[in-house]
Amino acid sequence: MSVTILAIESSCDETSAAVCADGKILSNFIASQSVHEQYGGVVPELASRAHMQNIVPVVDKALKEANRTLSDLDAIAFTQAPGLIGSLLVGAQFAKSLALALDKPLIAVHHMQAHVLANLIDQPKPSFPFLCLTVSGGHTQIVLCESPQQMRIIGETIDDAAGEAFDKSAKLLGLPYPGGPLIDKYAKTGNPQRFKFPEPQIPGLDFSFSGLKTAILYFLQENTKQDPQFVDNNLADICASIQHRIISILMNKLKKASKETGITDICIAGGVSANSGLREALKQTGEQLKWNTFIPAFQYCTDNAGMIAITAYYKFLAGEHTALTVSPSAKAEW
Ligand code: KG4
Ligand code: ZN
């Protein structure tokens, strides 16, 4: 039997729709919202309004690109949690209405589980069990994934997320939001050993990034006092040194998780997995420690409906449908 699913993602500031047929992503259309740049972060009310404007054309575009119509669909999937409630509501109401109108099953998807399962899109795929380091603007988690339905968090941040560490550092450097990709860009020509930032000593597999942010703040205050042009004159080295430390915090915990669990199929996911330094570090560590490493294609790293579609596909196969009475939720139990 062939299964075609339309999936919608609207948890934060990207409106996205994807069509998936038998586990293959046929289209993954993403409308980003540039309106937030001027505010230095996502403004929830503006995000909801933009989703309202975007949702119909985005779904239309995803269907057209996939060469499918509404009558081809076997199920409608959407991001149910976690995220900004006003943003989630737009996608959830749209998906519920469409499922009701077409009389097709509805499938609710957990955004963070979908980031992990983005690794099951295209070849080669990791074997179960695998570990996934999910690094986004709101989360930093090491997930042990035993099957598409069975995953558990074995380590997570106790304060800021890795993406926040990038974005807040960038803000201190006077760079616009989101600063992660800019730090990545400037770091490419910088010396990562030039400035030393502290590595926090957190027990187990948990992470902490708030100390790093404070250390960077004091470092910049100190140096700009002596040289007001310090940031401009040393931007590449500062970015490279900050990025180096964020990556070493992430990679050290990932190595520890692999050692403790004996699992060597290792994935990364989430917006920060687009970071070129992290991708390279994963590759190099993988070669050293004989891991099989996996990174989703770039378009499936940041928020996208393709990852919602692949997760929904496995739920569909397992017969997991969701009642139309479902509500979205800003926070979600795993
Ligand atoms: O997964 P995502 O798109 O949205 C959330 O669910 O949070 O992640 C967004 C985060 C932002 O913090 C952004 O700065 C970061 O991913 N990011 C990067 C890069 N590309 C995106 N951080 C570092 N280097 C990058 N190349
Ligand atoms: Zn995300």
Side-chain angles (χ1 to χ4, degrees):
M1 185 188 75
S2 175
V3 180
T4 305
I5 297 173
L6 169 72
I8 292 160
E9 153 65 32
S10 70
S11 65
C12 190
D13 61 339
E14 253 104 28
T15 321
S16 180
V19 177
C20 156
D22 301 324
K24 192 171 173 355
I25 305 298
L26 301 182
S27 65
N28 180 44
F29 189 76
I30 305 170
S32 297
Q33 305 177 357
S34 55
V35 63
H36 307 288
E37 273 165 26
Q38 58 187 303
Y39 300 101
V42 177
V43 183
E45 175 62 16
L46 296 181
S48 310
R49 290 183 207 173
H51 284 307
M52 294 284 291
Q53 284 177 336
N54 290 342
I55 189 95
V56 173
V58 163
V59 167
D60 198 42
K61 191 114 181 147
L63 284 167
K64 284 204 174 105
E65 257 180 49
N67 204 15
R68 296 292 188 276
T69 64
L70 289 176
S71 58
D72 295 321
L73 302 178
D74 297 300
I76 317 295
F78 71 103
T79 305
Q80 189 253 333
L84 301 171
I85 195 65
S87 293
L88 287 166
L89 271 164
V90 177
Q93 291 312 112
F94 188 90
K96 283 162 68 170
S97 310
L98 195 57
L100 181 67
L102 298 175
D103 195 21
K104 295 291 176 190
L106 179 72
I107 302 177
V109 171
H110 189 295
H111 181 89
M112 297 312 295
Q113 294 186 351
H115 268 305
V116 173
L117 296 187
N119 283 285
L120 300 184
I121 298 173
D122 301 336
Q123 297 287 339
K125 298 181 185 22
S127 310
F128 295 104
F130 64 79
L131 293 179
C132 182
L133 171 70
T134 314
V135 272
S136 72
H139 295 83
T140 303
Q141 302 174 332
I142 299 179
V143 176
L144 197 167
C145 188
E146 282 169 286
S147 75
Q149 280 77 35
Q150 264 182 305
M151 20 183 143
R152 68 195 156 89
I153 301 166
I154 58 171
E156 62 188 325
T157 182
I158 57 170
D159 42 53
D160 290 348
E164 262 177 304
F166 272 106
D167 295 339
K168 288 181 178 174
S169 306
K171 200 170 180 180
L172 292 173
L173 296 171
L175 300 174
Y177 176 86
L182 291 171
I183 295 205
D184 190 1
K185 181 179 144 198
Y186 294 120
K188 285 192 175 116
T189 55
N191 173 5
Q193 308 297 339
R194 169 102 183 274
F195 304 111
K196 295 268 177 272
F197 296 108
E199 176 147 3
Q201 301 304 312
I202 308 296
L205 297 173
D206 287 340
F207 304 89
S208 168
F209 290 100
S210 64
L212 176 64
K213 181 186 60 195
T214 314
I216 294 168
L217 176 68
Y218 290 149
F219 164 82
L220 291 175
Q221 281 176 347
E222 192 96 332
N223 282 285
T224 44
K225 227 188 279 165
Q226 285 155 24
D227 171 13
Q229 301 304 313
F230 176 74
V231 172
D232 286 347
N233 292 340
N234 299 282
L235 189 59
D237 288 349
I238 301 171
C239 287
S241 302
I242 292 172
Q243 179 167 303
H244 172 75
R245 178 51 75 221
I246 295 174
I247 292 170
S248 83
I249 294 172
L250 294 171
M251 289 307 299
N252 285 341
K253 293 291 179 159
L254 194 53
K255 281 188 227 168
K256 192 169 180 197
S258 168
K259 203 166 167 205
E260 285 180 6
T261 58
I263 294 172
T264 52
D265 272 31
I266 314 281
C267 307
I268 56 173
V272 181
S273 61
N275 182 269
S276 56
L278 181 60
R279 293 167 93 93
E280 186 55 33
L282 182 75
K283 204 172 133 232
Q284 280 184 7
T285 311
E287 280 163 13
Q288 262 168 22
L289 301 178
K290 304 206 170 9
W291 290 350
N292 302 312
T293 58
F294 304 87
I295 308 174
F298 189 77
Q299 61 167 323
Y300 304 123
C301 284
T302 50
D303 288 350
N304 68 89
M307 68 185 194
I308 306 301
I310 194 81
T311 308
Y313 171 66
Y314 286 102
K315 281 180 177 261
F316 188 95
L317 294 184
E320 281 184 46
H321 300 167
T322 309
L324 285 172
T325 48
V326 67
S327 298
S329 168
K331 287 200 161 44
E333 288 300 309
W334 188 247

